[in-house]
Amino acid sequence: MGAEPADVDDYLRETVVGEPATLAAGREAAHAAGLPQIEVSAGQGKLLGLLARISGARRVLEIGTLGGYSTSWLADGVGPDGHVTTCEFEPRHAGVARRNLDAAGVGDRVEIRLGAARDTLAELRREEVEPFDLVFIDADKENNPQYVLESLELTRSGSIIIVDNVVRHGAILEPADASTEDGRATIGTREVLDILGGDPRLEATALQTTGAKGWDGFALAVVR
């Protein structure tokens, strides 16, 4: 057969997912602005929105905004009365995301917090914000263990924590060089999987995926 995983993703997007034109336009605008083309696929984005909707989430925390593609799906999932707080380190990315979110009609539901996510999470704790119902972590992988531990302080029993890119083309089973960015990302991913599987405050699973994003996966946990 000649079909490729990316072709299947395109077919599923057209037949099942129903990617809104505004979100597709935002994805293309982010690419045109030179942002890395590492956003979630349309199917993964729809899954995030459905998880928010199914769980009844009204307060969502996202770590890693990029161009606002996954943010838009999450904002749709929480509905007009919900709220998304998203953390972004790069000012240019945040600017593109803000334009995309506004164009998608969900900008009023989203607060973009600019700066290092670890600092932002500490600020949220100091502000004693209401617990988040769902957390989506898709940023620098070497800091994922800290992001999960901080998220546990910002959620409640029943909250959902999702961590993206936990398979990394199988790199989690390969030797990792801590002197390289990829190596540190792999080490951070292994550590976060250990936390998700071993912390008594969490019940988790992890799945491999394939598609336009290649061979990867995500982990999903519920706070006990």
Side-chain angles (χ1 to χ4, degrees), residues 23 40 45 48-49 60 62-78 84-88 97-98 101 104 106 109-112 136:
L23 268 67
V40 300
L48 291 172
V60 167
E62 178 184 50
I63 302 172
T65 314
L66 195 62
Y69 186 71
S70 56
T71 323
S72 297
W73 283 109
L74 288 165
D76 179 71
V78 299
V84 177
T85 299
T86 183
C87 309
E88 177 54 50
R98 173 49 65 194
L101 291 162
V106 295
R109 308 176 196 176
V110 180
E111 175 191 14
I112 301 176
F136 177 51

Side-chain angles (χ1 to χ4, degrees), residues 47-60 74 77-78 132-135 156-162 220-222:
L47 176 62
L48 291 172
L50 286 175
L51 285 170
R53 189 171 301 165
I54 291 167
S55 66
R58 287 295 173 264
R59 287 179 50 77
V60 167
L74 288 165
V78 299
F132 291 99
D133 305 308
L134 186 149
V135 179
R156 54 168 179 80
S157 176
S159 293
I160 297 170
I161 299 176
I162 305 162
L220 184 149
V222 175

Side-chain angles (χ1 to χ4, degrees), residues 84-177:
V84 177
T85 299
T86 183
C87 309
E88 177 54 50
F89 181 73
E90 294 288 347
R92 186 164 66 92
H93 295 182
V96 171
R98 173 49 65 194
R99 291 192 291 274
N100 286 339
L101 291 162
D102 290 344
V106 295
D108 60 335
R109 308 176 196 176
V110 180
E111 175 191 14
I112 301 176
R113 294 232 181 179
L114 191 61
R118 293 179 69 168
D119 295 337
T120 299
L121 296 176
E123 290 171 1
L124 291 170
R125 289 182 64 186
R126 286 194 296 271
E127 293 170 12
E128 298 183 344
V129 297
E130 291 181 44
F132 291 99
D133 305 308
L134 186 149
V135 179
F136 177 51
I137 301 172
D138 188 15
D140 52 313
K141 310 310 174 188
E142 66 181 278
N143 281 317
N144 273 354
Q146 185 65 31
Y147 296 152
V148 168
L149 293 174
E150 289 281 356
S151 295
L152 280 168
E153 303 299 325
L154 291 164
T155 50
R156 54 168 179 80
S157 176
S159 293
I160 297 170
I161 299 176
I162 305 162
V163 184
D164 202 10
N165 308 126
V166 299
V167 173
R168 306 184 59 76
H169 300 273
I172 52 171
L173 298 184
E174 301 295 332
D177 182 355

